[in-house]
Amino acid sequence: MTATYIGFFGFTLFVILYTTWKLRKDQFTTANGYFLAGRTLTGTVIAGSMILTNISTEHLIGMNGSSYQNGIIVIAWEVTSAIALVIAALFFIPRFIRMGLTTIPEYLEKRFDSTTRSVVAFLLMLSFVVTLLPIVLYTGAINIESVFSFSEMFDISRSTALVYTVLVIGVIGSLYAIFGGLKAVAYSDTLNGVGLMAGGILIPLFALYQIGDGSIFGGMQTVYDFAPEKFDIIGAADSNLPFSTLFTGLMINQVYFWGMNQAIIQRAFGAKNLAEAQKGLIYTGVLKLFVPIIIVLPGLIAYYYFQDEFQATPDLIYPLLVKKVLPTYLFGFFAAVILGAVLSTFNSVLNSASTIFCLDIYKKLINPTVSDRKLVRFGKLSSLVLAVLAIAVAPMVAYAPDGLYLLLQELNGIFFIPISSVIIAGIFFKRINAKGAKAGLLFGFSFYILTTFILKLDIHFVHLWGIEFVLNFLIMFLVSKVTFKGNYVQELYPNPSEPWKYVNVAGSILVALTVGIYIWLS
């Protein structure tokens, strides 16, 4: 157990000291410095922060649980992200950077009106507090508890141990976001990202080495031969994630997440220039092609070990696999990696939620003349309040019947699809006006809740995303046509910035690799 504690505290302390040293000369008294890292981030740091903001324990636990339950078909959540990142690098981020945006809602005011900005800002904050942050905290607590067994150590129930662990993780994560702003988040994310990739890859490697009696490739062949149906990337029409969803709602969700989601795109807003922002997105796309080794393959290996024993509780699978295959002397390092993954997502989302509150709600609606110093102070205070709310909601998540990752995606649909349809409409369709945009938001929000959670239609929720997206556009076009008065919005780009000269070539290669993966696995 001593080695476990040394590994855990050693790596965790190293990340804290490294981040502190990198930020020793920085001042966080301006809004630009606190919320956007002074617009100094490079492509490498952006990619590291993006991937760690995205990948956390809801992926390690939720995605591996889903692949154990449903097979490799769930890889679609990951590899299609590469295509979405190329789209974001080519079409979205150039517009956003040249407009000098700080938040996504800010774009909606420039394109539509201040009411649309405020509504979307509120929806985004709500989505962070009631969906992503609680699930990240809870899945992180499951993993940490599985390593240290606090329930046995302190002779308390497992549920009580999870609540205390959620509280501790939430407090530590809040400190990053509150006192260091985006730059502290980005640098700690980059270092934790190295740890996550290294630690995450060790799990399937150790497992396959054991299964194959010293041969990793032999182990992989054994796992495949045991259940070849689990490796069918096309899957059945009634599977957990039908292949047909790639052509309905899945890509809409991916494009929103990587090109319009404040928690992700804020890293690109903090870039030195457009070229560095585009590099960050493309580098992230490359990493996403390798991420399934960490968050999909272990679930398939777990099926070899446990068969159908945990079909009703798939979110237990990853912690069980870790305990089964990882040498005890690496437990501490792995626990630190898990904590880093949780903290990276938690503090990143918390920082983004705080940014939206301060710039899109407080400064816009409450105190337009607020000073930078006071705005930063409110940013820290709002982070604290939002963290407390997320910690309070986290224990209510418990075990979702179809896995926590599917629960997260299902809940995200409430917010992502209406917001994405309005932003895409604003960028590509001049004839859609502010009234049309607000009608689209209201309809999309209501339609999804009604069909998914009240009527519970027998249609896959990702297909409902696609249906909702089309209906949103019909509503926006109809309302805009009825209320149109002949004044089109002229988009202005006051901050010219040169793109990365290799972005088209790199993007084409990335798309080709993604398609190649599907062809290879099919």
Side-chain angles (χ1 to χ4, degrees):
M1 200 64 178
T2 302
T4 300
Y5 285 120
I6 292 174
F8 177 77
F9 289 109
F11 185 77
T12 303
L13 188 61
F14 174 63
V15 173
I16 294 172
L17 292 176
Y18 172 81
T19 304
T20 304
W21 178 76
K22 290 292 290 185
L23 303 180
R24 65 193 185 282
K25 296 180 181 178
D26 289 274
Q27 298 294 322
F28 300 108
T29 56
T30 67
N32 190 52
Y34 185 77
F35 296 117
L36 289 181
R39 298 192 192 269
T40 59
L41 302 183
T42 61
T44 304
V45 174
I46 291 168
S49 187
M50 277 188 168
I51 206 74
L52 257 291
T53 299
N54 173 228
I55 302 300
S56 189
T57 45
E58 84 278 7
H59 285 78
L60 290 171
I61 286 182
M63 275 288 283
N64 278 309
S66 189
S67 67
Y68 160 80
Q69 201 175 46
N70 305 288
I72 202 171
I73 192 170
V74 300
I75 200 175
W77 289 113
E78 294 306 306
V79 295
T80 56
S81 296
I83 297 177
L85 280 155
V86 172
I87 294 171
L90 293 175
F91 298 105
F92 293 102
I93 202 61
R95 286 176 169 82
F96 295 157
I97 292 288
R98 287 167 181 158
M99 294 174 76
L101 298 184
T102 304
T103 69
I104 288 296
E106 184 184 355
Y107 167 77
L108 294 173
E109 180 177 29
K110 291 177 182 290
R111 175 59 179 85
F112 296 115
D113 61 14
S114 58
T115 303
T116 307
R117 174 181 184 173
S118 299
V119 169
V120 169
F122 174 76
L123 290 176
L124 285 174
M125 287 186 60
L126 187 63
S127 74
F128 292 152
V129 172
V130 303
T131 59
L132 182 55
L133 289 176
I135 289 177
V136 166
L137 284 175
Y138 193 77
T139 52
I142 291 175
N143 248 326
I144 298 297
E145 160 66 15
S146 72
V147 172
F148 290 106
S149 300
F150 292 128
S151 53
E152 297 177 10
M153 187 184 301
F154 297 106
D155 193 25
I156 56 178
S157 67
R158 188 169 183 273
S159 59
T160 302
L162 288 175
V163 170
Y164 286 130
T165 308
V166 162
L167 180 61
V168 172
I169 294 173
V171 169
I172 297 173
S174 303
L175 294 177
Y176 272 103
I178 291 171
F179 293 107
L182 180 62
K183 200 164 188 177
V185 170
Y187 276 110
S188 63
D189 282 357
T190 302
L191 199 57
N192 280 320
V194 175
L196 177 65
M197 297 299 284
I201 288 173
L202 284 177
I203 303 304
L205 289 183
F206 275 120
L208 293 174
Y209 185 83
Q210 292 174 16
I211 293 169
D213 293 325
S215 171
I216 291 173
F217 292 106
M220 190 70 246
Q221 187 64 50
T222 301
V223 171
Y224 175 80
D225 291 339
F226 180 77
E229 70 280 1
K230 290 287 183 180
F231 289 83
D232 180 9
I233 199 170
I234 304 300
D238 61 348
S239 63
N240 186 272
L241 186 68
F243 182 71
S244 56
T245 57
L246 271 70
F247 308 100
T248 56
L250 184 59
M251 280 308 302
I252 298 168
N253 174 76
Q254 300 288 54
V255 169
Y256 169 81
F257 186 86
W258 293 105
M260 297 171 255
N261 180 8
Q262 180 70 29
I264 293 293
I265 211 68
Q266 188 170 334
R267 282 101 197 91
F269 288 169
K272 284 183 176 181
N273 50 47
L274 174 57
E276 291 300 321
Q278 290 178 317
K279 286 179 188 178
L281 291 170
I282 296 297
Y283 295 165
T284 305
V286 174
L287 291 173
K288 288 297 283 185
L289 297 183
F290 292 96
V291 163
I293 297 173
I294 297 173
I295 64 174
V296 175
L297 181 57
L300 300 172
I301 295 170
Y303 189 78
Y304 171 84
Y305 280 118
F306 306 113
Q307 288 84 54
D308 292 319
E309 184 179 352
F310 297 97
Q311 284 291 325
T313 54
D315 295 316
L316 293 176
I317 279 297
Y318 191 69
L320 287 171
L321 183 68
V322 170
K323 276 196 167 183
K324 188 172 185 67
V325 305
L326 196 67
T328 53
Y329 61 84
L330 287 176
F331 272 15
F333 168 71
F334 186 75
V337 166
I338 292 298
L339 179 63
V342 176
L343 295 180
S344 66
T345 300
F346 184 77
N347 58 32
S348 296
V349 175
L350 201 59
N351 178 263
S352 295
S354 170
T355 303
I356 288 173
F357 171 77
C358 290
L359 301 180
D360 296 313
I361 296 177
Y362 183 79
K363 186 174 183 179
K364 186 65 186 176
L365 302 177
I366 301 172
N367 188 359
T369 60
V370 63
S371 66
D372 264 17
R373 187 177 293 274
K374 190 173 182 180
L375 195 61
V376 169
R377 190 161 68 247
F378 268 97
K380 294 176 179 180
L381 180 61
S382 61
S383 291
L384 178 61
V385 173
L386 292 169
V388 170
L389 291 174
I391 291 169
V393 173
M396 303 177 191
V397 172
Y399 295 120
D402 292 320
L404 288 169
Y405 189 77
L406 264 292
L407 172 65
L408 174 62
Q409 295 298 343
E410 195 170 19
L411 291 174
N412 278 341
I414 298 172
F415 309 97
F416 286 7
I417 305 304
I419 295 172
S420 65
S421 63
V422 170
I423 295 173
I424 291 172
I427 291 174
F428 296 107
F429 299 95
K430 289 184 177 181
R431 288 183 177 270
I432 292 180
N433 61 21
K435 290 182 179 178
K438 286 192 278 286
L441 280 174
L442 178 61
F443 173 81
F445 188 76
S446 305
F447 173 85
Y448 186 74
I449 292 177
L450 179 66
T451 55
T452 305
F453 301 105
I454 298 176
L455 298 179
K456 298 182 179 180
L457 297 183
D458 188 22
I459 302 174
H460 196 285
F461 70 89
V462 178
H463 286 318
L464 282 174
W465 290 351
I467 294 169
E468 178 193 338
F469 187 77
V470 173
L471 292 177
N472 283 355
F473 265 89
L474 291 176
I475 294 293
M476 285 189 287
F477 274 117
L478 180 61
V479 173
S480 297
K481 185 174 182 179
V482 171
T483 60
F484 179 65
K485 295 182 180 179
N487 295 317
Y488 294 118
V489 174
Q490 178 65 44
E491 289 190 52
L492 301 175
Y493 301 121
N495 300 312
S497 185
E498 290 298 316
W500 182 33
K501 62 180 179 179
Y502 298 116
V503 67
N504 291 322
V505 174
S508 299
I509 293 172
L510 198 50
V511 171
L513 287 173
T514 304
V515 175
I517 287 173
Y518 263 90
I519 294 173
W520 174 52
L521 289 175
S522 63

